[in-house]
Amino acid sequence: MNALTEPAEAKPSATARPPLVRELLLVVGLFLVYKFGRQLVTGHTTEAYHNAGRVWHWERVLDLPGEGSVQSLLLHGDTLAHLANTYYATVHFPATVAFLIWLYLRRPAHYIWARRVLALLTGAALVLHLVFPLAPPRMLAAAGLVDTAKVYGPSVYGPPQTDTLSNQFAAMPSLHFGWALMVAIGLIVATRSRWRWLWLLHPLVTLVVIVGTANHYWMDAIVATALLGIALAVIHLPHRTATTAGRAQEKLTPAEPKENVLVGAGR
């Protein structure tokens, strides 16, 4: 009788959230390392322009569409160019932070996975920035593109010679695109809504913005995608969420009561 009425074994608890203070220190530390690390490339002007010419040549060899074809869409009026510059300046970092906060609060296991992927992606990007400084297409005369931020505003960059807050010669890979793509992938795998695929609009709009504003080449986005793919291959998704763990346990719990019933019946 006791065997029949004994409750099933408690389900495993959901993945515990990492300590908040530790996570804040990790994320802020990663951001500071990235920001200060980018400054190590500052001053490599000649090499950055030389690499820009090489990237421009490679894109023409690969028959990639010209960045100017995208920019021409934004130059039909001041409004589109201004909106694109605003998106470039204000969405990139806040969207990524909001993504991590939501995962931390609602999907702790996915948060740990996403944070590790972003850390690996950012670290790899920093190494590439150090070994391959690259001037953006808005600085390359051969590209014939307009610096939309300078003409239409708003701009997050000052003159390269006096801008001490950012390194404008770190165009490849584009973390604007890499982070946006990871945000979309992370939300798609962490949610179940049939509308979740619409999150891909974020990296798509980001791609149009970074190319159309002449801040990045197509190759910058391609390399960012490749690095993200490697990071995703190395750091696997959590195998079991709290929900799937609970379901698995529910399927297993009837086995023990059945065994106990047989023992009681023998008596």
Side-chain angles (χ1 to χ4, degrees):
M1 187 68 177
N2 291 338
L4 288 173
T5 58
E6 186 177 354
E9 186 178 345
K11 298 177 186 178
S13 59
T15 302
R17 294 187 185 92
L20 179 59
V21 174
R22 188 193 72 180
E23 291 305 306
L24 288 174
L25 292 175
L26 282 174
V27 173
V28 172
L30 174 65
F31 177 72
L32 292 177
V33 168
Y34 171 69
K35 290 294 289 185
F36 288 118
R38 284 165 61 105
Q39 297 303 315
L40 297 177
V41 194
T42 302
H44 294 196
T45 306
T46 303
E47 186 179 357
Y49 278 104
H50 176 68
N51 288 336
R54 294 165 64 187
V55 169
W56 186 257
H57 173 69
W58 293 338
E59 289 190 343
R60 307 293 75 81
V61 171
L62 295 173
D63 200 25
L64 294 178
E67 285 80 357
S69 61
V70 178
Q71 185 172 87
S72 63
L73 299 175
L74 303 180
L75 298 182
H76 286 298
D78 296 358
T79 302
L80 279 178
H82 183 79
L83 286 175
N85 293 328
T86 302
Y87 193 95
Y88 182 86
T90 62
V91 174
H92 166 57
F93 190 70
T96 307
V97 171
F99 163 68
L100 289 174
I101 291 174
W102 186 85
L103 287 182
Y104 180 84
L105 295 175
R106 302 296 299 273
R107 303 286 191 275
H110 287 85
Y111 163 79
I112 296 172
W113 163 73
R115 188 247 291 153
R116 289 173 177 169
V117 171
L118 285 172
L120 182 56
L121 170 63
T122 305
L126 177 57
V127 172
L128 193 53
H129 292 161
L130 294 174
V131 300
F132 194 78
L134 178 65
R138 58 187 166 82
M139 295 184 182
L140 184 64
L145 298 173
V146 176
D147 186 344
T148 60
K150 184 178 180 180
V151 176
Y152 301 98
S155 177
V156 295
Y157 303 120
Q161 300 81 4
T162 59
D163 187 356
T164 59
L165 297 178
S166 60
N167 172 28
Q168 299 185 47
F169 298 133
M172 180 181 287
S174 168
L175 282 181
H176 267 75
F177 182 74
W179 286 10
L181 185 57
M182 181 56 201
V183 167
I185 292 173
L187 289 172
I188 287 170
V189 301
T191 57
R192 295 181 178 181
S193 169
R194 61 179 179 177
W195 302 103
R196 67 189 185 277
W197 296 99
L198 291 177
W199 287 113
L200 290 173
L201 289 175
H202 176 42
L204 178 60
V205 172
T206 300
L207 181 60
V208 171
V209 165
I210 63 175
V211 173
T213 58
N215 281 296
H216 286 283
Y217 305 89
W218 293 112
M219 289 292 294
D220 299 338
I222 292 172
V223 172
T225 302
L227 291 178
L228 177 58
I230 294 172
L232 290 171
V234 172
I235 302 174
H236 300 291
L237 269 168
H239 292 292
R240 183 179 298 179
T241 63
T243 302
T244 57
R247 288 176 178 173
Q249 188 67 21
E250 286 174 356
K251 293 178 181 179
L252 293 175
T253 50
E256 178 145 355
K258 287 181 179 179
E259 183 179 350
N260 289 338
V261 169
L262 291 176
V263 172
R267 293 176 185 171

